[in-house]
Amino acid sequence: MASRVSVGQLLSVSMMLLLITVSVAADDHVLTLDHTNFTDTVSRHNFTVVEFYAPWCGHCMKLAPEYEKAGSVLSSHDPPVVLAKVDANEESNKELANKYEIQGFPTIKIFRNGGKNVQEFKGPREADGIVAYLKKETGPASVEIKSVEDVTSLIDDSKIFVVGVFPKFSGEEFENFSALAEKLRSDYEFGHTLDAKFLPKGELLVNRPTIRLFKPFDELFVDFQDFQVDAMQKFVEAASVPIVTLYTKDPSNHPFLMKFFESPNDKVMLFINFTGEHLDAFKSKFKDVAMAYRGKGVSFLLGDLEASQGVLQYYGLKGDEAPLGYIQNNDGQKYLKTKLNPDHIAPWLKEYMDGNLKPFVKSEPIPEINNEPVKVVVGDSLQAMVFNSGKNVLLEFYAPWCGHCQKLAPILDEVAVSYENDPDIIIAKLDATANDFPNDTFDVQGFPTLYFKTAGGNMLQYDGDRTKEDIIDFIQNNRDKTTQPSSVESAPEKDEL
């Protein structure tokens, strides 16, 4: 994507900052920032929205005209909303991207109070949606509820809404609630009122300062009366997750799925056919178990087999083993129960919670023939082929469905061919969706991930460019030599500075 050049970029830095402060150029409503002007620009505004992009990114190209259109609309908004962009792929801007933990493109961040508070943009990616989302974000974090009509317009049966009930809009309790609303405004909607009679569902029970969280599942609302900010945040985050999260094709479930998979809790998942004859029995038994272990560091998900194909593929599970129970804890241990029936659920979970369940170790069969240039490693051969091989091993962790892995495959083949006559080097791959591996040794957060184990036992993660030349350079610079290689097609030598 070609970046547009603003008037400010053609002037000195001081003149550019002056122009930014006064107005945005009429024909360009998205400021172009970089490492030289980012901090000064953000510090001059109470509210700045910044897109971190890469010129080659297709999603960024798609977003560009929508972002520009939104900037045009918001340039006349009161208070002003400043939209900006940073080429995070530019080498000089990478330190800036690292500072704000940019992991992919495009990433949009909201900078408040001159950059003192930074939040993720979690809104739509089309112009009208961006405008509506940012208008809400520039307004008060919590809106006052003055009537039943306000409640009707703000609270519905499809979303989380948090209301604070107070005798007056002052004092520590109200101030802490306001701080919570500001902190969590990107994730939840907040309101406050002086009169509980406006609220639906049990308003007569509110007789002192109270937080009431409305939700579209389980008990529909829940109250809380500890106004310490940390306690309120824990309450809101816990209460806004269903006792059992549903994995279906219904898009209204997606926010709750995100919370489930982002939770630090151990995850208990049950995948069944939602058109099967025993669905109600499974739902009832699974919810009973989830209720019994509520608040004990365990989260529960019930997945429709048809809708859950992606997550089954991600975990390397097979749909023909359903009804399928699967547990994964934070230590990377997995527990599997296939072909279960409703009466299996409670005793299986009790075994797990009591520490009596044996972990499941997943491995593909060890290949009988393994003579391709890139060797195949599986869970059961990892120890022999990598840890105990006495060789330098470059190991790729990949997923069969990963496009980046497919692009890397022929490059790794070329690297492996280059080392065919070197007895000290093994180039290998492991399907991370079908084989277990020690998470405390290999930190695999995405695919492909490359690790290099030297003959002496040092473990290094490769994070260089994915070219044949760069990978070979890395191997040559880090290998332990036990014998002299007969021939290696190495990368061209580079001039030293």
Side-chain angles (χ1 to χ4, degrees), residues 430-475:
L430 181 144
D431 181 350
T433 69
N435 299 277
D436 284 340
F437 52 88
N439 292 329
D440 56 348
T441 302
F442 302 108
D443 182 21
V444 179
Q445 300 294 329
F447 304 117
T449 294
L450 295 170
Y451 271 89
F452 185 66
K453 197 277 301 182
T454 70
N458 292 327
M459 190 69 69
L460 306 170
Q461 185 169 357
Y462 178 76
D463 59 2
D465 290 339
R466 294 170 186 168
T467 67
K468 172 187 172 183
E469 293 76 18
D470 284 300
I471 294 172
I472 289 177
D473 275 352
F474 176 84
I475 293 172

mmCIF file of all heavy atoms in Angstrom, residues 430-475:
data_model
loop_
_atom_site.group_PDB
_atom_site.id
_atom_site.type_symbol
_atom_site.label_atom_id
_atom_site.label_comp_id
_atom_site.label_asym_id
_atom_site.label_seq_id
_atom_site.Cartn_x
_atom_site.Cartn_y
_atom_site.Cartn_z
ATOM 1 N N LEU A 430 7.867 -30.828 13.069
ATOM 2 C CA LEU A 430 6.929 -31.512 13.949
ATOM 3 C C LEU A 430 5.565 -30.857 13.801
ATOM 4 O O LEU A 430 5.453 -29.630 13.920
ATOM 5 C CB LEU A 430 7.414 -31.442 15.398
ATOM 6 C CG LEU A 430 6.551 -32.126 16.464
ATOM 7 C CD1 LEU A 430 7.440 -32.747 17.549
ATOM 8 C CD2 LEU A 430 5.582 -31.133 17.125
ATOM 9 N N ASP A 431 4.552 -31.647 13.522
ATOM 10 C CA ASP A 431 3.185 -31.141 13.426
ATOM 11 C C ASP A 431 2.686 -30.860 14.843
ATOM 12 O O ASP A 431 2.359 -31.779 15.597
ATOM 13 C CB ASP A 431 2.294 -32.173 12.730
ATOM 14 C CG ASP A 431 0.855 -31.701 12.574
ATOM 15 O OD1 ASP A 431 0.493 -30.665 13.170
ATOM 16 O OD2 ASP A 431 0.087 -32.382 11.867
ATOM 17 N N ALA A 432 2.645 -29.583 15.197
ATOM 18 C CA ALA A 432 2.318 -29.209 16.577
ATOM 19 C C ALA A 432 0.850 -29.416 16.911
ATOM 20 O O ALA A 432 0.479 -29.352 18.089
ATOM 21 C CB ALA A 432 2.699 -27.748 16.817
ATOM 22 N N THR A 433 0.017 -29.674 15.906
ATOM 23 C CA THR A 433 -1.390 -29.943 16.188
ATOM 24 C C THR A 433 -1.643 -31.418 16.458
ATOM 25 O O THR A 433 -2.700 -31.779 16.973
ATOM 26 C CB THR A 433 -2.289 -29.508 15.015
ATOM 27 O OG1 THR A 433 -2.064 -30.372 13.882
ATOM 28 C CG2 THR A 433 -2.005 -28.080 14.609
ATOM 29 N N ALA A 434 -0.689 -32.269 16.117
ATOM 30 C CA ALA A 434 -0.890 -33.715 16.245
ATOM 31 C C ALA A 434 0.088 -34.376 17.206
ATOM 32 O O ALA A 434 0.001 -35.582 17.433
ATOM 33 C CB ALA A 434 -0.769 -34.372 14.870
ATOM 34 N N ASN A 435 1.021 -33.594 17.765
ATOM 35 C CA ASN A 435 2.032 -34.150 18.651
ATOM 36 C C ASN A 435 2.276 -33.229 19.830
ATOM 37 O O ASN A 435 2.341 -32.006 19.673
ATOM 38 C CB ASN A 435 3.356 -34.339 17.902
ATOM 39 C CG ASN A 435 3.249 -35.292 16.734
ATOM 40 O OD1 ASN A 435 3.324 -36.498 16.892
ATOM 41 N ND2 ASN A 435 3.047 -34.738 15.535
ATOM 42 N N ASP A 436 2.405 -33.811 21.023
ATOM 43 C CA ASP A 436 2.727 -33.028 22.205
ATOM 44 C C ASP A 436 4.226 -32.813 22.309
ATOM 45 O O ASP A 436 5.027 -33.612 21.812
ATOM 46 C CB ASP A 436 2.226 -33.746 23.462
ATOM 47 C CG ASP A 436 0.722 -33.615 23.621
ATOM 48 O OD1 ASP A 436 0.148 -32.697 23.021
ATOM 49 O OD2 ASP A 436 0.127 -34.435 24.343
ATOM 50 N N PHE A 437 4.599 -31.746 22.989
ATOM 51 C CA PHE A 437 6.004 -31.408 23.214
ATOM 52 C C PHE A 437 6.078 -30.594 24.503
ATOM 53 O O PHE A 437 5.078 -30.010 24.933
ATOM 54 C CB PHE A 437 6.575 -30.609 22.033
ATOM 55 C CG PHE A 437 5.749 -29.417 21.654
ATOM 56 C CD1 PHE A 437 5.950 -28.182 22.265
ATOM 57 C CD2 PHE A 437 4.739 -29.519 20.703
ATOM 58 C CE1 PHE A 437 5.178 -27.083 21.928
ATOM 59 C CE2 PHE A 437 3.963 -28.418 20.359
ATOM 60 C CZ PHE A 437 4.185 -27.198 20.974
ATOM 61 N N PRO A 438 7.253 -30.550 25.152
ATOM 62 C CA PRO A 438 7.353 -29.835 26.437
ATOM 63 C C PRO A 438 7.254 -28.319 26.267
ATOM 64 O O PRO A 438 8.115 -27.693 25.655
ATOM 65 C CB PRO A 438 8.726 -30.256 26.975
ATOM 66 C CG PRO A 438 9.496 -30.708 25.781
ATOM 67 C CD PRO A 438 8.492 -31.278 24.814
ATOM 68 N N ASN A 439 6.183 -27.742 26.814
ATOM 69 C CA ASN A 439 5.964 -26.300 26.685
ATOM 70 C C ASN A 439 6.984 -25.485 27.456
ATOM 71 O O ASN A 439 7.192 -24.303 27.156
ATOM 72 C CB ASN A 439 4.551 -25.943 27.165
ATOM 73 C CG ASN A 439 3.479 -26.498 26.251
ATOM 74 O OD1 ASN A 439 3.696 -26.622 25.053
ATOM 75 N ND2 ASN A 439 2.329 -26.851 26.806
ATOM 76 N N ASP A 440 7.606 -26.077 28.477
ATOM 77 C CA ASP A 440 8.600 -25.324 29.227
ATOM 78 C C ASP A 440 9.914 -25.214 28.464
ATOM 79 O O ASP A 440 10.786 -24.415 28.817
ATOM 80 C CB ASP A 440 8.830 -25.961 30.603
ATOM 81 C CG ASP A 440 9.224 -27.433 30.526
ATOM 82 O OD1 ASP A 440 9.110 -28.025 29.431
ATOM 83 O OD2 ASP A 440 9.625 -27.994 31.564
ATOM 84 N N THR A 441 10.072 -26.019 27.401
ATOM 85 C CA THR A 441 11.271 -25.946 26.562
ATOM 86 C C THR A 441 11.009 -25.165 25.284
ATOM 87 O O THR A 441 11.830 -24.357 24.851
ATOM 88 C CB THR A 441 11.761 -27.356 26.201
ATOM 89 O OG1 THR A 441 12.035 -28.082 27.405
ATOM 90 C CG2 THR A 441 13.029 -27.308 25.353
ATOM 91 N N PHE A 442 9.847 -25.400 24.694
ATOM 92 C CA PHE A 442 9.500 -24.774 23.422
ATOM 93 C C PHE A 442 8.301 -23.857 23.632
ATOM 94 O O PHE A 442 7.194 -24.320 23.925
ATOM 95 C CB PHE A 442 9.168 -25.838 22.369
ATOM 96 C CG PHE A 442 10.273 -26.823 22.118
ATOM 97 C CD1 PHE A 442 10.169 -28.137 22.564
ATOM 98 C CD2 PHE A 442 11.415 -26.447 21.432
ATOM 99 C CE1 PHE A 442 11.177 -29.052 22.326
ATOM 100 C CE2 PHE A 442 12.437 -27.360 21.186
ATOM 101 C CZ PHE A 442 12.320 -28.660 21.646
ATOM 102 N N ASP A 443 8.519 -22.564 23.465
ATOM 103 C CA ASP A 443 7.446 -21.584 23.611
ATOM 104 C C ASP A 443 6.844 -21.326 22.230
ATOM 105 O O ASP A 443 7.293 -20.460 21.488
ATOM 106 C CB ASP A 443 8.004 -20.295 24.207
ATOM 107 C CG ASP A 443 6.922 -19.244 24.428
ATOM 108 O OD1 ASP A 443 5.739 -19.623 24.511
ATOM 109 O OD2 ASP A 443 7.255 -18.046 24.504
ATOM 110 N N VAL A 444 5.833 -22.100 21.901
ATOM 111 C CA VAL A 444 5.217 -22.024 20.579
ATOM 112 C C VAL A 444 3.909 -21.248 20.704
ATOM 113 O O VAL A 444 2.895 -21.774 21.168
ATOM 114 C CB VAL A 444 4.979 -23.430 19.986
ATOM 115 C CG1 VAL A 444 4.304 -23.318 18.616
ATOM 116 C CG2 VAL A 444 6.297 -24.182 19.883
ATOM 117 N N GLN A 445 3.923 -19.980 20.277
ATOM 118 C CA GLN A 445 2.749 -19.129 20.353
ATOM 119 C C GLN A 445 2.052 -18.994 19.006
ATOM 120 O O GLN A 445 0.929 -18.483 18.931
ATOM 121 C CB GLN A 445 3.140 -17.741 20.866
ATOM 122 C CG GLN A 445 3.760 -17.752 22.247
ATOM 123 C CD GLN A 445 2.794 -18.189 23.320
ATOM 124 O OE1 GLN A 445 1.595 -17.959 23.223
ATOM 125 N NE2 GLN A 445 3.309 -18.847 24.345
ATOM 126 N N GLY A 446 2.706 -19.400 17.939
ATOM 127 C CA GLY A 446 2.117 -19.319 16.607
ATOM 128 C C GLY A 446 2.934 -20.161 15.656
ATOM 129 O O GLY A 446 3.950 -20.762 16.027
ATOM 130 N N PHE A 447 2.477 -20.237 14.433
ATOM 131 C CA PHE A 447 3.127 -21.099 13.443
ATOM 132 C C PHE A 447 3.573 -20.275 12.227
ATOM 133 O O PHE A 447 2.875 -19.356 11.825
ATOM 134 C CB PHE A 447 2.158 -22.195 12.989
ATOM 135 C CG PHE A 447 1.619 -23.025 14.121
ATOM 136 C CD1 PHE A 447 0.267 -23.028 14.389
ATOM 137 C CD2 PHE A 447 2.467 -23.799 14.900
ATOM 138 C CE1 PHE A 447 -0.245 -23.780 15.429
ATOM 139 C CE2 PHE A 447 1.968 -24.556 15.935
ATOM 140 C CZ PHE A 447 0.610 -24.552 16.205
ATOM 141 N N PRO A 448 4.735 -20.640 11.636
ATOM 142 C CA PRO A 448 5.686 -21.629 12.149
ATOM 143 C C PRO A 448 6.567 -21.036 13.241
ATOM 144 O O PRO A 448 6.806 -19.831 13.277
ATOM 145 C CB PRO A 448 6.522 -21.966 10.915
ATOM 146 C CG PRO A 448 6.526 -20.683 10.127
ATOM 147 C CD PRO A 448 5.170 -20.060 10.351
ATOM 148 N N THR A 449 7.045 -21.885 14.148
ATOM 149 C CA THR A 449 8.042 -21.519 15.142
ATOM 150 C C THR A 449 9.255 -22.415 14.940
ATOM 151 O O THR A 449 9.107 -23.632 14.796
ATOM 152 C CB THR A 449 7.492 -21.677 16.574
ATOM 153 O OG1 THR A 449 6.436 -20.740 16.779
ATOM 154 C CG2 THR A 449 8.580 -21.421 17.603
ATOM 155 N N LEU A 450 10.445 -21.828 14.937
ATOM 156 C CA LEU A 450 11.679 -22.581 14.687
ATOM 157 C C LEU A 450 12.590 -22.532 15.912
ATOM 158 O O LEU A 450 12.823 -21.455 16.474
ATOM 159 C CB LEU A 450 12.429 -21.997 13.487
ATOM 160 C CG LEU A 450 11.728 -22.088 12.119
ATOM 161 C CD1 LEU A 450 12.478 -21.261 11.094
ATOM 162 C CD2 LEU A 450 11.631 -23.527 11.668
ATOM 163 N N TYR A 451 13.084 -23.711 16.312
ATOM 164 C CA TYR A 451 14.072 -23.811 17.383
ATOM 165 C C TYR A 451 15.301 -24.533 16.859
ATOM 166 O O TYR A 451 15.204 -25.412 15.988
ATOM 167 C CB TYR A 451 13.505 -24.569 18.584
ATOM 168 C CG TYR A 451 12.803 -23.689 19.595
ATOM 169 C CD1 TYR A 451 11.449 -23.406 19.469
ATOM 170 C CD2 TYR A 451 13.490 -23.125 20.662
ATOM 171 C CE1 TYR A 451 10.796 -22.595 20.393
ATOM 172 C CE2 TYR A 451 12.861 -22.311 21.582
ATOM 173 C CZ TYR A 451 11.519 -22.058 21.454
ATOM 174 O OH TYR A 451 10.871 -21.243 22.358
ATOM 175 N N PHE A 452 16.459 -24.153 17.428
ATOM 176 C CA PHE A 452 17.712 -24.801 17.053
ATOM 177 C C PHE A 452 18.362 -25.366 18.313
ATOM 178 O O PHE A 452 18.691 -24.621 19.240
ATOM 179 C CB PHE A 452 18.649 -23.796 16.381
ATOM 180 C CG PHE A 452 19.923 -24.392 15.852
ATOM 181 C CD1 PHE A 452 19.904 -25.301 14.803
ATOM 182 C CD2 PHE A 452 21.155 -24.054 16.410
ATOM 183 C CE1 PHE A 452 21.073 -25.840 14.300
ATOM 184 C CE2 PHE A 452 22.327 -24.587 15.921
ATOM 185 C CZ PHE A 452 22.288 -25.492 14.866
ATOM 186 N N LYS A 453 18.535 -26.702 18.347
ATOM 187 C CA LYS A 453 19.208 -27.367 19.463
ATOM 188 C C LYS A 453 20.610 -27.717 19.013
ATOM 189 O O LYS A 453 20.794 -28.465 18.051
ATOM 190 C CB LYS A 453 18.426 -28.625 19.863
ATOM 191 C CG LYS A 453 18.779 -29.166 21.257
ATOM 192 C CD LYS A 453 20.019 -30.055 21.295
ATOM 193 C CE LYS A 453 19.902 -31.263 20.395
ATOM 194 N NZ LYS A 453 21.118 -32.129 20.486
ATOM 195 N N THR A 454 21.608 -27.155 19.680
ATOM 196 C CA THR A 454 22.979 -27.434 19.285
ATOM 197 C C THR A 454 23.390 -28.827 19.748
ATOM 198 O O THR A 454 22.757 -29.418 20.637
ATOM 199 C CB THR A 454 23.958 -26.397 19.877
ATOM 200 O OG1 THR A 454 24.042 -26.595 21.299
ATOM 201 C CG2 THR A 454 23.501 -24.980 19.586
ATOM 202 N N ALA A 455 24.471 -29.315 19.148
ATOM 203 C CA ALA A 455 24.970 -30.637 19.541
ATOM 204 C C ALA A 455 25.336 -30.667 21.017
ATOM 205 O O ALA A 455 25.227 -31.706 21.680
ATOM 206 C CB ALA A 455 26.179 -31.013 18.684
ATOM 207 N N GLY A 456 25.727 -29.516 21.556
ATOM 208 C CA GLY A 456 26.076 -29.439 22.970
ATOM 209 C C GLY A 456 24.896 -29.262 23.897
ATOM 210 O O GLY A 456 25.055 -29.241 25.112
ATOM 211 N N GLY A 457 23.698 -29.110 23.334
ATOM 212 C CA GLY A 457 22.493 -29.043 24.159
ATOM 213 C C GLY A 457 21.902 -27.668 24.350
ATOM 214 O O GLY A 457 20.876 -27.531 25.030
ATOM 215 N N ASN A 458 22.506 -26.619 23.783
ATOM 216 C CA ASN A 458 21.913 -25.288 23.889
ATOM 217 C C ASN A 458 20.663 -25.197 23.019
ATOM 218 O O ASN A 458 20.639 -25.721 21.901
ATOM 219 C CB ASN A 458 22.914 -24.211 23.469
ATOM 220 C CG ASN A 458 24.067 -24.084 24.435
ATOM 221 O OD1 ASN A 458 23.900 -24.288 25.636
ATOM 222 N ND2 ASN A 458 25.244 -23.765 23.923
ATOM 223 N N MET A 459 19.639 -24.503 23.537
ATOM 224 C CA MET A 459 18.390 -24.364 22.801
ATOM 225 C C MET A 459 18.186 -22.891 22.446
ATOM 226 O O MET A 459 18.156 -22.023 23.327
ATOM 227 C CB MET A 459 17.219 -24.865 23.644
ATOM 228 C CG MET A 459 15.919 -24.989 22.873
ATOM 229 S SD MET A 459 15.944 -26.326 21.638
ATOM 230 C CE MET A 459 15.963 -27.762 22.720
ATOM 231 N N LEU A 460 18.052 -22.584 21.159
ATOM 232 C CA LEU A 460 17.886 -21.216 20.678
ATOM 233 C C LEU A 460 16.635 -21.127 19.807
ATOM 234 O O LEU A 460 16.376 -22.022 19.003
ATOM 235 C CB LEU A 460 19.100 -20.788 19.841
ATOM 236 C CG LEU A 460 20.485 -20.938 20.475
ATOM 237 C CD1 LEU A 460 21.562 -20.700 19.421
ATOM 238 C CD2 LEU A 460 20.646 -19.973 21.637
ATOM 239 N N GLN A 461 15.880 -20.054 19.963
ATOM 240 C CA GLN A 461 14.744 -19.832 19.071
ATOM 241 C C GLN A 461 15.192 -18.969 17.899
ATOM 242 O O GLN A 461 15.896 -17.965 18.078
ATOM 243 C CB GLN A 461 13.587 -19.149 19.794
ATOM 244 C CG GLN A 461 12.339 -19.017 18.912
ATOM 245 C CD GLN A 461 11.106 -18.598 19.689
ATOM 246 O OE1 GLN A 461 11.146 -18.458 20.900
ATOM 247 N NE2 GLN A 461 10.009 -18.401 18.993
ATOM 248 N N TYR A 462 14.813 -19.375 16.698
ATOM 249 C CA TYR A 462 15.167 -18.620 15.497
ATOM 250 C C TYR A 462 14.081 -17.600 15.205
ATOM 251 O O TYR A 462 12.899 -17.947 15.046
ATOM 252 C CB TYR A 462 15.329 -19.560 14.295
ATOM 253 C CG TYR A 462 15.640 -18.823 13.012
ATOM 254 C CD1 TYR A 462 16.914 -18.324 12.773
ATOM 255 C CD2 TYR A 462 14.652 -18.596 12.048
ATOM 256 C CE1 TYR A 462 17.206 -17.626 11.608
ATOM 257 C CE2 TYR A 462 14.933 -17.906 10.882
ATOM 258 C CZ TYR A 462 16.208 -17.423 10.671
ATOM 259 O OH TYR A 462 16.495 -16.729 9.519
ATOM 260 N N ASP A 463 14.484 -16.326 15.124
ATOM 261 C CA ASP A 463 13.511 -15.282 14.813
ATOM 262 C C ASP A 463 13.983 -14.394 13.662
ATOM 263 O O ASP A 463 13.539 -13.257 13.514
ATOM 264 C CB ASP A 463 13.215 -14.428 16.045
ATOM 265 C CG ASP A 463 14.459 -13.752 16.619
ATOM 266 O OD1 ASP A 463 15.550 -13.927 16.031
ATOM 267 O OD2 ASP A 463 14.331 -13.055 17.642
ATOM 268 N N GLY A 464 14.874 -14.929 12.823
ATOM 269 C CA GLY A 464 15.363 -14.170 11.681
ATOM 270 C C GLY A 464 14.440 -14.270 10.489
ATOM 271 O O GLY A 464 13.337 -14.823 10.563
ATOM 272 N N ASP A 465 14.900 -13.731 9.371
ATOM 273 C CA ASP A 465 14.112 -13.793 8.143
ATOM 274 C C ASP A 465 14.021 -15.231 7.661
ATOM 275 O O ASP A 465 14.941 -16.041 7.834
ATOM 276 C CB ASP A 465 14.748 -12.923 7.061
ATOM 277 C CG ASP A 465 14.621 -11.441 7.371
ATOM 278 O OD1 ASP A 465 13.722 -11.092 8.163
ATOM 279 O OD2 ASP A 465 15.418 -10.649 6.844
ATOM 280 N N ARG A 466 12.909 -15.540 7.008
ATOM 281 C CA ARG A 466 12.666 -16.919 6.571
ATOM 282 C C ARG A 466 13.140 -17.120 5.138
ATOM 283 O O ARG A 466 12.358 -17.437 4.235
ATOM 284 C CB ARG A 466 11.185 -17.251 6.728
ATOM 285 C CG ARG A 466 10.749 -17.279 8.188
ATOM 286 C CD ARG A 466 9.253 -17.362 8.344
ATOM 287 N NE ARG A 466 8.860 -17.241 9.744
ATOM 288 C CZ ARG A 466 7.621 -17.046 10.154
ATOM 289 N NH1 ARG A 466 6.645 -16.938 9.256
ATOM 290 N NH2 ARG A 466 7.335 -16.944 11.437
ATOM 291 N N THR A 467 14.433 -16.921 4.963
ATOM 292 C CA THR A 467 15.049 -17.195 3.671
ATOM 293 C C THR A 467 16.086 -18.287 3.861
ATOM 294 O O THR A 467 16.616 -18.489 4.967
ATOM 295 C CB THR A 467 15.743 -15.948 3.096
ATOM 296 O OG1 THR A 467 16.862 -15.614 3.934
ATOM 297 C CG2 THR A 467 14.788 -14.764 3.027
ATOM 298 N N LYS A 468 16.390 -18.969 2.778
ATOM 299 C CA LYS A 468 17.397 -20.029 2.833
ATOM 300 C C LYS A 468 18.721 -19.483 3.347
ATOM 301 O O LYS A 468 19.367 -20.083 4.234
ATOM 302 C CB LYS A 468 17.568 -20.636 1.437
ATOM 303 C CG LYS A 468 18.720 -21.618 1.311
ATOM 304 C CD LYS A 468 18.914 -22.017 -0.142
ATOM 305 C CE LYS A 468 20.190 -22.842 -0.318
ATOM 306 N NZ LYS A 468 20.431 -23.180 -1.744
ATOM 307 N N GLU A 469 19.134 -18.338 2.824
ATOM 308 C CA GLU A 469 20.425 -17.779 3.178
ATOM 309 C C GLU A 469 20.497 -17.404 4.661
ATOM 310 O O GLU A 469 21.496 -17.692 5.335
ATOM 311 C CB GLU A 469 20.719 -16.548 2.311
ATOM 312 C CG GLU A 469 20.928 -16.847 0.832
ATOM 313 C CD GLU A 469 19.635 -17.137 0.091
ATOM 314 O OE1 GLU A 469 18.552 -16.775 0.612
ATOM 315 O OE2 GLU A 469 19.694 -17.726 -0.995
ATOM 316 N N ASP A 470 19.444 -16.773 5.171
ATOM 317 C CA ASP A 470 19.459 -16.349 6.573
ATOM 318 C C ASP A 470 19.425 -17.539 7.515
ATOM 319 O O ASP A 470 20.067 -17.530 8.574
ATOM 320 C CB ASP A 470 18.284 -15.408 6.849
ATOM 321 C CG ASP A 470 18.525 -14.014 6.305
ATOM 322 O OD1 ASP A 470 19.495 -13.371 6.722
ATOM 323 O OD2 ASP A 470 17.754 -13.578 5.437
ATOM 324 N N ILE A 471 18.647 -18.554 7.178
ATOM 325 C CA ILE A 471 18.573 -19.735 8.038
ATOM 326 C C ILE A 471 19.930 -20.452 8.072
ATOM 327 O O ILE A 471 20.407 -20.868 9.133
ATOM 328 C CB ILE A 471 17.458 -20.677 7.561
ATOM 329 C CG1 ILE A 471 16.087 -20.008 7.754
ATOM 330 C CG2 ILE A 471 17.500 -22.003 8.321
ATOM 331 C CD1 ILE A 471 14.929 -20.773 7.149
ATOM 332 N N ILE A 472 20.566 -20.589 6.903
ATOM 333 C CA ILE A 472 21.882 -21.235 6.863
ATOM 334 C C ILE A 472 22.907 -20.415 7.646
ATOM 335 O O ILE A 472 23.722 -20.966 8.390
ATOM 336 C CB ILE A 472 22.332 -21.447 5.404
ATOM 337 C CG1 ILE A 472 21.493 -22.550 4.748
ATOM 338 C CG2 ILE A 472 23.812 -21.796 5.335
ATOM 339 C CD1 ILE A 472 21.792 -22.785 3.291
ATOM 340 N N ASP A 473 22.887 -19.097 7.484
ATOM 341 C CA ASP A 473 23.788 -18.247 8.263
ATOM 342 C C ASP A 473 23.612 -18.496 9.762
ATOM 343 O O ASP A 473 24.586 -18.593 10.520
ATOM 344 C CB ASP A 473 23.509 -16.773 7.963
ATOM 345 C CG ASP A 473 24.254 -16.280 6.730
ATOM 346 O OD1 ASP A 473 25.097 -17.031 6.201
ATOM 347 O OD2 ASP A 473 23.974 -15.149 6.298
ATOM 348 N N PHE A 474 22.362 -18.576 10.203
ATOM 349 C CA PHE A 474 22.073 -18.792 11.628
ATOM 350 C C PHE A 474 22.650 -20.135 12.096
ATOM 351 O O PHE A 474 23.278 -20.221 13.157
ATOM 352 C CB PHE A 474 20.563 -18.749 11.851
ATOM 353 C CG PHE A 474 20.144 -19.054 13.260
ATOM 354 C CD1 PHE A 474 20.139 -18.067 14.235
ATOM 355 C CD2 PHE A 474 19.757 -20.341 13.616
ATOM 356 C CE1 PHE A 474 19.750 -18.356 15.535
ATOM 357 C CE2 PHE A 474 19.368 -20.635 14.914
ATOM 358 C CZ PHE A 474 19.363 -19.634 15.883
ATOM 359 N N ILE A 475 22.418 -21.182 11.292
ATOM 360 C CA ILE A 475 22.932 -22.505 11.664
ATOM 361 C C ILE A 475 24.452 -22.485 11.746
ATOM 362 O O ILE A 475 25.050 -22.984 12.707
ATOM 363 C CB ILE A 475 22.456 -23.555 10.651
ATOM 364 C CG1 ILE A 475 20.930 -23.738 10.750
ATOM 365 C CG2 ILE A 475 23.161 -24.899 10.873
ATOM 366 C CD1 ILE A 475 20.340 -24.625 9.665
#
